[in-house]
Amino acid sequence: MDDSELIARAQAWLAEDPDPDTRDELAKLIDGGDTEELAARFGGTLQFGTAGLRGELGAGPMRMNRSVVIRAAAGLAAYLKSKNQTDGPVVIGYDARYKSEDFARDTAAVMTGAGLKAAVLPRPLPTPVLAFAIRHLGAVAGVEVTASHNPPRDNGYKVYLGDGSQIVPPADAEIAAQIDAIASLHDVPRPDSGWETLSDDVLNAYLARTDAVLAPDSPRTARTVYTAMHGVGKDTLLAAFDRAGFPAPVLVAEQAEPDPDFPTVAFPNPEEPGAMDLSFAKAREVDPDLIIANDPDADRCAAAVKDGTDPADWRMLRGDEVGALLAAHLVRRGARGTFAESIVSSSLLGRIAEKAGLQYEETLTGFKWIARVDGLRYGYEEALGYCVDPEGVRDKDGITAALLLTELASELKEQGRTLLDLLDDLAVEHGLHATDQLSVRVEDLSLIADAMRRLRELPPTELAGLPVTKAEDLTQGTEKLPPTDGLRYTLDGARVIVRPSGTEPKLKCYLEVVVPVATKADLPAARARATDLLGAIKNDLSAAAGI
């Protein structure tokens, strides 16, 4: 599109924009003739990805703003009406990011204007409360306004259908088609009232449900340090821990209250370097049994443990480690049903399920797929997401995961053992499953496409000296998986998956090696071997991908 067409498109957008903030921003870009920035904002539209819409706040169809949200809500309303899904409410939740409350209110107005019932959660609350409310209230759909653990400049729009699970194909494409059919925002009725603001009854029902994840007579003695990572998890988690009878978590005060600027972290994600530094400092001060962290919308749960005798020796558990610990705990408690995980998560879960005689399923990345597994009892993925109560919340839930992990830590504490001792037991029983990730954040998305093309044209035949025994292009799909943009390499004693992130401008490479372990005494050597292999695979893969 040439500059005149670009300006015309921006002016048409400006004429409809209901938000004075983005109107002012866009007017300055037009008046200044900043065609490069306008091209970045008007060169396409945000698309539904792994977690719905997500992007940087700002004016234009390639940014998150009220105009984009109103169109998305109108498209969802039209989709629901086309499917005759109008009997129940559309439940709307939101986090504490910039514009989240505005986006939630706009969504409620659009639903009401379309003749649907809308119900909004009473204040910023964790995403799992919204996922719970959908099923609890018999809703036809749900919307959560959140960008989860993305940078402060982002926001997002996560859509659930009436089963309480996030949208999957073909629903995403059908909703997108309805969005595209909206000619003008002036065609979208938005009354000033008519929707319901829910009371705390739905939150109290969620909290009552959290009790069910724990064994009635289990010990509740583990002491925790907790960070909400400047998000909305604190009050709900504290209430859940209080109901359960655990010692009150010691808060990381600097990160306890919602703050959309996330001032103490570069990225509000417990996995990111430096994000847990304040938690470690508090742990060195009060010497707890466990550190628990939620991401800003509290659907993820991270944990850290003391690794050694020095008070300074705290380390994060990997998502795969927590996933295996929770699985082992549920197995010991006699859980029945299907255990499921995404393809990028550790194969250890399959070994645990097989040994316990349980069904096991592997899905594409994202809880929108895990939540749909038939007979699901437990699901997880390595990015700190755990579903421990699928009948209550068909999504990842950082509150109930924190409860279950703290129960496990309490049981082990009563035995004079720790979470690390249980991880050692699992390594001896099933082999040491060590995982790592090569994650490359880019400004230019074409670099990701270039890397994927390079790997497809010249796939590696070996990594770290291990022969690649099977190379799969997942865009073709497999016997059990629908097509997705990814590559999977099976090696002798290792596995690698490469895929573009669905929520961030990143290329992600997931690495796993499995080293046999005969006895506990062999663990140090096995860990050293695994570390060497993972490092070598990372180097070789980086070279092969040109990143």
Side-chain angles (χ1 to χ4, degrees):
M1 131 179 59
D2 62 27
D3 288 355
S4 60
E5 185 183 351
L6 187 61
I7 295 291
R9 187 174 292 189
Q11 287 172 331
W13 185 276
L14 180 64
E16 290 189 341
D17 193 338
D19 189 333
D21 294 337
T22 45
R23 273 205 312 271
D24 289 349
E25 175 190 320
L26 185 54
K28 287 175 183 172
L29 292 175
I30 294 171
D31 293 344
D34 191 346
T35 53
E36 184 177 345
E37 181 61 24
L38 289 172
R41 292 163 181 252
F42 288 87
T45 58
L46 287 181
Q47 300 294 314
F48 281 102
T50 308
L53 290 169
R54 198 177 291 186
E56 187 175 344
L57 288 163
M62 287 295 289
R63 298 287 185 266
M64 282 298 299
N65 50 65
R66 291 183 60 197
S67 297
V68 163
V69 164
I70 290 166
R71 288 175 179 276
L76 174 60
Y79 169 83
L80 292 171
K81 291 167 78 171
S82 75
K83 302 292 185 183
N84 294 315
Q85 297 290 314
T86 57
D87 293 341
V90 176
V91 190
I92 303 150
Y94 58 101
D95 67 11
R97 286 176 178 264
Y98 288 116
K99 298 290 181 182
S100 286
E101 189 171 1
D102 294 340
F103 295 169
R105 186 176 59 250
D106 282 332
T107 301
V110 170
M111 295 302 161
T112 304
L116 296 166
K117 296 188 282 286
V120 184
L121 293 183
R123 59 185 172 280
L125 286 167
T127 293
V129 177
L130 180 278
F132 167 82
I134 295 167
R135 290 159 66 86
H136 178 67
L137 297 174
V140 294
V143 170
E144 177 70 17
V145 181
T146 181
S148 190
H149 57 281
N150 274 39
R153 64 178 182 269
D154 290 359
N155 212 328
Y157 198 80
K158 189 182 290 190
V159 178
Y160 298 76
L161 295 181
D163 62 356
S165 301
Q166 295 173 52
I167 54 169
V168 295
D172 53 356
E174 292 176 25
I175 294 169
Q178 296 283 4
I179 294 169
D180 291 342
I182 297 161
S184 168
L185 287 191
H186 300 311
D187 299 334
V188 181
R190 287 186 291 126
D192 294 328
S193 61
W195 55 89
E196 178 185 5
T197 299
L198 295 165
S199 70
D200 275 351
D201 287 351
V202 69
L203 173 61
N204 292 332
Y206 167 81
L207 287 168
R209 180 82 199 185
T210 64
D211 298 347
V213 306
L214 303 175
D217 55 351
S218 63
R220 314 280 167 91
T221 55
R223 295 177 305 107
T224 56
V225 159
Y226 171 72
T227 177
M229 206 63 70
H230 298 297
V232 299
K234 182 197 71 172
D235 291 347
T236 305
L237 182 130
L238 290 182
F241 269 57
D242 182 59
R243 289 178 65 101
F246 287 112
V250 176
L251 299 178
V252 178
E254 301 93 328
Q255 299 174 335
E257 300 301 327
D259 188 333
D261 289 317
F262 304 102
T264 68
V265 290
F267 294 96
N269 178 354
E271 293 179 296
E272 292 284 348
M276 295 292 289
D277 287 355
L278 289 171
S279 300
F280 294 152
K282 180 58 72 174
R284 288 192 287 270
E285 181 186 321
V286 303
D287 193 30
D289 300 299
L290 184 64
I291 297 172
I292 294 288
N294 285 139
D295 67 337
D297 68 327
D299 63 350
R300 288 173 167 82
C301 175
V305 294
K306 190 186 288 186
D307 189 5
T309 55
D310 190 310
D313 292 339
W314 284 86
R315 79 164 175 92
M316 282 280 289
L317 294 175
R318 299 191 69 85
D320 285 317
E321 292 176 312
V322 174
L325 288 168
L326 292 175
H329 184 45
L330 289 170
V331 164
R332 195 195 61 76
R333 279 192 13 198
R336 308 307 300 167
T338 301
F339 280 28
E341 64 180 342
S342 60
I343 57 172
V344 298
S345 306
S346 171
S347 59
L348 177 56
L349 183 69
R351 307 271 180 102
I352 292 170
E354 182 182 19
K355 181 82 178 284
L358 298 174
Q359 288 288 112
Y360 165 75
E361 291 289 338
E362 214 176 34
T363 74
L364 294 184
T365 307
F367 261 84
K368 62 183 183 181
W369 299 107
I370 294 171
R372 285 180 159 73
V373 167
D374 287 342
L376 181 68
R377 175 60 185 87
Y378 169 65
Y380 99 92
E381 65 179 2
E382 55 75 43
L384 310 181
Y386 314 95
C387 176
V388 301
D389 177 25
E391 290 306 306
V393 176
R394 283 201 165 266
D395 197 5
K396 52 189 178 293
D397 183 346
I399 306 294
T400 50
L403 285 171
L404 197 65
L405 191 62
T406 308
E407 177 186 62
L408 173 57
S410 298
E411 290 189 357
L412 291 167
K413 183 179 180 180
E414 297 297 298
Q415 302 164 17
R417 286 160 46 82
T418 68
L419 296 172
L420 293 180
D421 291 323
L422 181 52
L423 285 172
D424 287 349
D425 293 348
L426 292 172
V428 172
E429 187 174 2
H430 301 289
L432 176 67
H433 290 62
T435 57
D436 201 357
Q437 194 178 123
L438 173 62
S439 181
V440 182
R441 184 181 293 271
V442 299
E443 293 292 331
D444 180 358
L445 289 176
S446 69
L447 297 175
I448 294 177
D450 289 345
M452 295 297 289
R453 186 179 64 252
R454 189 177 290 110
L455 288 171
R456 286 188 169 103
E457 291 173 354
L458 288 171
T461 57
E462 67 172 35
L463 296 168
L466 302 174
V468 175
T469 57
K470 189 176 185 182
E472 298 168 276
D473 186 342
L474 298 177
T475 55
Q476 308 302 311
T478 71
E479 187 179 324
K480 293 190 172 182
L481 298 172
T484 188
D485 187 7
L487 300 164
R488 179 163 59 181
Y489 304 114
T490 304
L491 299 91
D492 187 11
R495 182 220 64 200
V496 172
I497 293 174
V498 184
R499 60 179 281 272
S501 170
T503 57
E504 297 176 271
K506 284 182 175 181
L507 181 69
K508 290 188 167 186
C509 310
Y510 304 84
L511 323 176
E512 179 177 42
V513 299
V514 183
V515 181
V517 180
T519 68
K520 198 166 182 177
D522 298 318
L523 276 170
R527 288 200 176 95
R529 168 69 174 157
T531 299
D532 289 346
L533 281 173
L534 287 170
I537 290 173
K538 199 180 285 191
N539 289 338
D540 290 353
L541 185 63
S542 181
I547 53 176

